[in-house]
Amino acid sequence: MSNVIKNPRNGCALHGALQTVQEIEGAVPVVHANAGCGVINYLANKTVGNGASRYSGFATPGTAVQERHVIFGGASRLREQIKNTIKVVNGDLYVILNSCESAMVGDDVDAMTREIVEQGEPVACTLIAGFNGGSHYGYEHVIYDILKSIDGVKKNEKSTDEKLINIFGIVPEKDPYWQGNLEEIRRIFAGVGLKANLFFGVYGGVNDLVNAKNAVASVVFSRWGELPAKLLKERFDVPYISVSSLPNLASDERELIEKVSEYAKIDPEVKESFLESEGRYERNYLSRIRDDIFEYDLGKRTLIVGDEEQVIRYGKLFKEVFGARVVGAVLTDALKKDEEHETDNTEILEAVAENIYITSDEKDIEDIIKRSRAQVVIGSSLEKRIAEKNNVSLLEFSYPIYHRAILNQTTVGVRGAVEFVSDYITAVKQAEKEKSQVLHDYLKQLKNQNSWQGHTSKKGQVKQINLVSELAARESI
Amino acid sequence: MAEKIGKHIAIYGKGGIGKSTTTSNISAALAEAGYRVIQIGCDPKSDSTNTLRGNNYLPTVLDSLREGNKIHLDDISVKGFGGVLCIESGGPVPGVGCAGRGINAAVNLLQELNLFEEFKPDYVLYDVLGDVVCGGFAVPIRDGITDRAYVVSSSDFMALYAANNLFKAINKYAPTGGAKLGGVIANSMKPGYHREIVDDFVAKTGTSIAGYVNRSLDVQQSELYGKTVIEAKPNSAQADIYRNLAKYIAENENLVVPNPLGSAELRDWARSWGDRIYDIENGVVNGLAEAI
Ligand SMILES: Nc1ncnc2c1ncn2[C@@H]1O[C@H](COP(=O)(O)OP(=O)(O)OP(=O)(O)O)[C@@H](O)[C@H]1O
Ligand code: SF4
Ligand SMILES: [Mg+2]
């Protein structure tokens, strides 16, 4: 009955909410849980290359609930913690995050929040507990819950800004390139004279939450942004546009901007000149790799492991730029709560990949990779072992990525496309170089020794012979 | 767990059915017979041992846990009638926190305090509140704390329904070392068909009756004096009923895993009794009504 899930790459809803809140400048999370809930999120994320977030790990304010708070209720402990946090941590908004524990015990977190708000403090809460879903669910719901209550906390008359666009669906820390990607989206919108309301990262902050209702439209870049966008539509009549993935090529950028221009005022001349320059940028760089495409046979059998948005984006790019065959796509964002979303990307996914799998179980993923006979895997560091074992090139682009610092790099827009493409070509060239190194070493060995049988294992011989014949065939030796 | 000291017995039953009254009288009767007895009230109301200790104040185990001070056995126990050691687990105020976890924590704490090694009881009775609503309340029959449970029930359908739920819990946990059932204590028996209903229920579920306890004014009167019947009315017939029940429970080794009825089965069974009672009340003669 019970299955073992190997290396599930997503945390719980609390973790998603915590990651989200701690990436909003000016927002302070207050975790109402036993100490481990917050710490485990920190430990899981600290190995990935995004660097420390604002409240990294042990410094996260929390109630560190103990058994007596479970038995007698933890509400008064929470009250104490909020008050102390407000005293010692400066913030524009304090966000109380619920956990399995407080939800099961039934602590009235809502009432506690209202009590503190009535005292004039800027506090919001989310009642979702860890067990309600995965990290993506946590992102979506905490943003939704904050937007729902922020009006009562930060007074602000609605006045629509014709240039302001809300950006939803880029999950902080879950998209390894979330910071650079947000910045690239900002650049694209700025290019046509619009302002992106990013919420997170360098240009985001609590003010974006307050201003969200003043946006002229919201753009939802993955299904996980649907709920907050819908809320703004219902409450403040802010329309929203859903797209299946972030833009990559100049044509994607054009499509996006055209859609947005139905709601936002964009000067047609500015738009044309910007999109034209984006096209030029893309053409310039992509034309530089046309020789490589043929020389290294870059249209390989490819398998993509990642969140739905990334799978669609990377898949399209690989097909369009290299003419690759995407033999499989593994969606790792916990899609269980799917019923909540209107977004249905089945058709798009089917157009991108030949087979679609939904799992975040490493064992399943390893089996899928083995069966797929893919030559290239776009995935996370968790796929490294199986890729090496099967002699497959691995491009690490989805969560988690270890042993690499990812600060402001992007995989989005024409710049992201170029970055991605160069990484891929580098990986292929590196693999080729390693292969020819083996060949050269072997030939050298042959020259120096009369009898090599004594020095190499049988398996090693077979491997070398295979390599030699492969290289010989390709390099016509 | 180390070798158990004394027989550990859990008493369950629907709210207000007479668990505390019956348990206290059993404790009193066992003490009177010369045994060393501990009664632990596993109920946030902390009124289980009232009649054993004349309604005197007794801090609960969880009160002391809440304070966070070092806890001593003396602070949370008091000797009542016949030397019965009275302990109340206590719990949160209604509507807050998790009482199930509270009972769990209290029982663990008592073990940490070496209660049983120190007191060396012959019998330990756990008076557990209400229906087995969640895992927390099943702890006394689950984790090897007790090896036998009794359920107090009247002939009312809801009381039997609660008993049936306990049977389900026992059924679930017994295979992994949980407690088994010693029997049903039929309480508040009045003349008429009441016994027959309970008899029929135990027959259907593969269990047995540990004793019949009549509904009696002696019980209510003694309670008002803050005493058990054994103490207040030692020569009454009701006291003897409790003594016999205590003797049965002390000696009974016939422990079973009950066969609880399914919901539909239970409903049909109740309906069939509804018809029979109607017949009895209306003087329709049938074999079962002889007792009237
Ligand atoms: N056999 C009996 N005859 C008369 N009255 C009884 C009898 N048994 C119990 N009672 C009365 O019923 C009331 C409830 O009994 P008791 O407190 O023992 O029930 P309980 O099952 O422990 O309740 P709770 O679930 O609230 O703990 C008491 O007032 C008690 O005196
Ligand atoms: S799943 Fe629940 S208990 Fe586990 S870390 Fe998340 S909130 Fe904490
Ligand atoms: Mg009671």
Side-chain angles (χ1 to χ4, degrees), chain A residues 230-334:
Chain A
K230 262 189 182 162
L231 175 81
L232 293 177
K233 166 87 182 108
E234 281 157 19
R235 285 243 176 131
F236 302 105
D237 211 24
V238 180
Y240 68 93
I241 302 157
S242 287
V243 293
S244 60
S245 65
L246 288 152
N248 239 163
L249 296 170
S251 54
D252 302 333
E253 289 186 22
R254 177 172 291 277
E255 201 180 313
L256 172 68
I257 296 300
E258 294 296 356
K259 273 189 188 159
V260 173
S261 68
E262 285 173 30
Y263 302 94
K265 269 206 197 98
I266 302 178
D267 181 332
E269 263 175 47
V270 175
K271 180 176 86 181
E272 273 318 313
S273 108
F274 175 76
L275 291 175
E276 168 50 33
S277 94
E278 291 292 277
R280 215 173 328 124
Y281 189 94
E282 177 182 304
R283 279 193 303 280
N284 184 304
Y285 282 106
L286 293 191
S287 68
R288 288 171 179 274
I289 60 163
R290 57 181 187 271
D291 291 348
D292 288 340
I293 292 180
F294 296 108
E295 186 175 344
Y296 290 94
D297 189 15
L298 292 178
K300 295 186 190 298
R301 287 173 66 91
T302 306
L303 185 117
I304 310 175
V305 182
D307 289 353
E308 184 183 69
E309 184 278 322
Q310 296 152 24
V311 163
I312 294 173
R313 175 153 47 94
Y314 299 152
K316 274 187 181 165
L317 186 73
F318 256 54
K319 285 184 90 138
E320 281 176 38
V321 175
F322 305 117
R325 250 185 84 184
V326 181
V327 291
V330 183
L331 312 183
T332 53
D333 31 0

Side-chain angles (χ1 to χ4, degrees), chain B residues 73-107:
Chain B
L73 261 180
D74 296 348
D75 305 338
I76 49 153
S77 63
V78 69
K79 279 197 183 142
F81 173 78
V84 175
L85 193 71
C86 302
I87 296 175
E88 298 285 351
S89 78
V93 295
V96 177
C98 178
R101 180 63 218 170
I103 288 176
N104 212 324
V107 172

Side-chain angles (χ1 to χ4, degrees), chain A residues 220-226 242-246 259 307-313 316 329 331 333 335 338 341-353 356 358:
Chain A
V220 179
F221 283 108
S222 80
R223 67 172 69 234
W224 304 106
E226 207 181 280
S242 287
V243 293
S244 60
S245 65
L246 288 152
K259 273 189 188 159
D307 289 353
E308 184 183 69
E309 184 278 322
Q310 296 152 24
V311 163
I312 294 173
R313 175 153 47 94
K316 274 187 181 165
L331 312 183
D333 31 0
L335 289 171
D338 219 355
H341 298 121
E342 278 167 13
T343 312
D344 180 6
N345 291 323
T346 318
E347 265 179 42
I348 298 172
L349 281 163
E350 279 169 359
V352 168
I356 294 145
I358 299 178

Side-chain angles (χ1 to χ4, degrees), chain A residues 11-15 31-34 36-38 40-41 98-101 128-133:
Chain A
C12 67
L14 166 67
H15 295 161
V31 178
H32 184 34
N34 53 322
C37 297
I40 198 171
N41 179 56
N98 211 15
S99 64
C100 296
E101 187 172 28
I128 54 156
F131 51 58
N132 282 127

